């Protein structure tokens, strides 16, 4: 790794100035010396950029700006002079801790079958790297070892986010579905196509790694072995195979991607993407495409979890039932229906008893306890539910301090216990860590909007909707509220009707108020009848809205609108 650093510095193609070179050397040496936990903007500013103890990273963005430029310097180097370097140094967005990635990992001793597929696990998300003892067979594979290092040292960086205790629990034995990412196949001749095909596979794997909920594997199969991928996945117990191809001509690059259910052999999802071919923007093109594909595959409401929820893939082992239980809870959280809450809660309570090391189950259990309090499912016993939520989220973070689901639940706990600024700050950090996850975008947009910041919140919600195949109804709620508050009642009605397809009580509230402003007595009456099915919301509308953390001005407007709707309906 140090040799790679010196090779970068000796290359005329590495354009970084002396200050950024010092920045890179400092963060690499600190990481290799076991001090990655100290790599924060403040310490870097003092050590590299000559700032004093009064340095304020909010007022002086020098570290963030120079980190962004350094990432560009490294990208430019690896596109050209460093494309065949054995080790790649990467500074992930949202962090100053470098990753170290192998382009070619040496063959494992004792393996004689040079035609076999190599299947190193990217990570088991507890920090360990699991390598299947089969040899390499392609020079276009990049295997990430930095994930293990970062996961190990990042625990201390993340634990400050948790206000709860940190007990120790056994690691989970839950078998989440395995997803095998095959190398992208170049269908056109030429170096450009081969480069794009290799880069697409690498970028997609790196993006998918940020999502939890499945085990990720890569393969270095040769093109004539790709036809064996489905059988290989079945033999190894993987649930899904991701295949891709790249074609180029003088004007365009075309990427085709498919996700195949290894159990049934059916295509879960497939799509082709076309982009203008600009040799000067290969890196940005492959990254943009990989971002978009990762969103569809990996997000909580993406194609893998949706297919699993539909029962298309039978659990390979009995303890995969724990994973299916988390999927059931995700299903409930699409609509927040009372009828789906109790089965999801019982399932999660059984799961954490059976599988106490499963961080996702604890996180989701904490989230459902929050729902029980804020949605009135627990009657007036809100505080004890919030306490249980904190306990469950604390356990999830003690098991996996960097678990995305647990950190999302923690941000939710901050919001629903009135710590709005902390909630938004943590949610923004999670967006920075994985900008390809529409769910965390939607949570940020929702939290901004409920606190009255519709100017930023609504566009953020819209971005999440645009990136989701089948958005949950709550993604639309505060887009409709924002339109209602602006007096655009027809558009508010249209958006609320769209979200009401998921049978949402809040959608009916917005519909009733919008219909009333439009003078539609029949529509108002129908919305009020449906709203009455949601007893906590209908009985004490103002109290219900305040428990969601909604800003006073918005609560006042909605309550007044509901009174107007009831007056119109009673005529």
């Amino acid at each position: 790794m140090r040799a790679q650093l010196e090779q970068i510095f000796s290359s005329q193609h590495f354009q970084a100035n002396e200050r950024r070179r010092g920045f890179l050397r400092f963060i690499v040496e600190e990481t290799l010396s076991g001090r990655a936990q100290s790599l924060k903007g403040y310490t870097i500013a003092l050590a590299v950029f000559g700032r004093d103890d009064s340095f304020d990273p909010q007022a002086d963005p020098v570290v963030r700006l120079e980190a962004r430029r350094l990432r560009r310097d490294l990208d430019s180097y690896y596109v050209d002079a460093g494309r065949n370097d054995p080790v790649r140094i990467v500074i992930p967005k949202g962090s100053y801790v470098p990753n170290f990635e192998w382009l070619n990992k040496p063959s494992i001793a004792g393996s004689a079958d040079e035609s076999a597929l190599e299947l190193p696990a990217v990570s088991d998300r507890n920090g360990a790297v699991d390598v299947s003892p089969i040899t390499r067979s392609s020079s276009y594979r990049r295997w990430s070892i930095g994930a293990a290092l970062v996961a190990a040292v990042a625990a201390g960086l993340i634990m400050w986010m948790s206000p709860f205790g940190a007990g120790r629990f056994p690691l989970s034995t839950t078998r989440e579905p395995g997803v095998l990412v095959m190398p992208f196949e170049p269908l056109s001749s030429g170096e450009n196509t081969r480069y794009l095909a290799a880069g697409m596979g690498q970028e997609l794997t790196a993006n998918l790694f940020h999502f939890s909920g499945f085990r990720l594997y890569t393969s270095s199969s040769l093109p004539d072995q790709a036809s064996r991928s489905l059988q290989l996945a079945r033999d190894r117990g993987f649930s899904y195979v991701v295949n891709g191809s790249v074609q180029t001509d003088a004007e365009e690059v075309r990427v085709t991607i498919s996700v195949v259910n290894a159990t049934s052999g059916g295509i879960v999802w497939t799509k082709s993407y076309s982009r203008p071919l600009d040799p000067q923007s290969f890196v940005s093109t492959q990254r943009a495409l990989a971002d978009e594909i990762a969103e569809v595959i990996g997000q909580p409401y993406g194609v893998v979890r949706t297919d699993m929820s539909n029962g298309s893939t039978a659990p390979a082992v009995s303890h995969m039932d724990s994973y299916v239980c988390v999927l059931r809870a995700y299903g409930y959280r699409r609509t927040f229906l009372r009828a789906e809450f109790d089965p999801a809660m019982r399932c999660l309570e059984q799961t954490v008893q059976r599988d106490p090391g499963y961080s996702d189950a604890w996180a989701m259990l904490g989230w459902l306890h929050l729902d029980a309090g804020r949605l009135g499912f627990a009657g007036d016993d809100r505080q004890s539910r919030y306490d249980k939520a904190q306990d469950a989220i604390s356990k999830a973070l003690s098991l996996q301090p960097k678990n995305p689901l647990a950190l999302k639940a923690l941000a939710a706990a901050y919001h629903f216990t009135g710590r709005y600024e902390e909630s938004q700050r943590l949610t923004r950090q999670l967006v920075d860590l994985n900008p390809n996850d529409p769910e965390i975008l939607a949570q940020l947009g929702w939290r901004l909007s409920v606190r009255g910041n519709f100017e930023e919140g609504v566009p953020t919600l819209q971005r999440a909707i645009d990136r989701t195949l089948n958005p949950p109804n709550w993604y639309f709620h505060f887009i409709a509220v924002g339109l209602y508050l602006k007096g655009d009642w027809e558009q508010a009605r249209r958006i609320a009707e769209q979200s009401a397809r998921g049978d949402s009580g809040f959608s009916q509230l917005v519909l009733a108020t919008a219909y009333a402003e439009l003078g539609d007595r029949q529509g108002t009456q129908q919305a009020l009848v449906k709203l009455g099915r949601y007893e906590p919301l209908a009985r004490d509308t103002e109290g219900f809205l305040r428990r969601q953390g909604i800003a006073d001005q918005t609560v006042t407007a909605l309550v007044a609108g509901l009174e107007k709707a009831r007056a119109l309906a009673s005529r």
Side-chain angles (χ1 to χ4, degrees), residues 352-364:
V352 296
Q353 290 294 320
R354 177 180 65 246
D355 191 2
Y358 190 16
S359 179
D360 277 9
W362 283 110
M364 192 61 84

Side-chain angles (χ1 to χ4, degrees), residues 161-272:
M161 299 177 183
S162 173
F164 316 126
R168 297 304 304 165
F169 293 86
L171 294 179
S172 172
T173 58
T174 298
R175 288 289 296 269
E176 297 169 331
V179 176
L180 171 62
V181 180
M182 298 296 293
F184 279 55
E185 183 179 1
L187 299 182
S188 305
S189 60
E191 289 291 331
N192 289 345
T193 307
R194 288 197 295 273
Y195 172 78
L196 279 172
M200 278 297 303
Q202 294 166 4
E203 288 288 342
L204 178 59
T205 301
N207 288 345
L208 288 175
F209 181 75
H210 290 287
F211 292 98
S212 62
F214 49 79
R215 294 170 294 129
L216 192 61
Y217 294 82
T218 59
S219 166
S220 58
S221 85
L222 295 172
D224 61 355
Q225 294 170 321
S227 60
R228 297 174 47 216
S229 63
L230 192 58
Q231 187 58 51
L232 175 71
R234 291 168 177 166
D235 293 343
R236 297 294 184 91
F238 302 150
S239 300
Y240 297 91
V241 179
V242 179
N243 292 303
S245 64
V246 176
Q247 290 178 282
T248 62
D249 56 31
E251 298 180 351
E252 187 178 72
V253 55
R254 184 178 181 84
V255 174
T256 301
I257 187 82
S258 65
V259 178
V260 180
N261 184 311
T263 302
S264 66
I267 296 176
V268 175
W269 173 78
T270 185
K271 187 174 180 179
S272 292

Side-chain angles (χ1 to χ4, degrees), residues 19-39:
R19 190 161 70 166
R20 291 200 293 277
R21 289 169 183 254
F23 186 176
L24 180 59
R25 185 182 294 279
F26 178 73
I27 62 176
V28 167
E29 288 297 339
E30 290 295 288
T31 300
L32 296 179
S33 300
R35 294 188 293 273
Q37 68 273 16
S38 70
L39 290 177

Side-chain angles (χ1 to χ4, degrees), residues 479-496 510 513-515 517-518:
I479 296 178
V481 171
L483 291 166
Y484 174 80
L485 294 177
K486 290 195 302 184
D488 191 346
W489 301 311
E490 179 57 35
Q491 278 289 88
R493 179 202 60 78
R494 185 182 64 82
I495 297 296
V510 180
T513 58
Y515 276 131
E517 296 292 351
L518 293 169

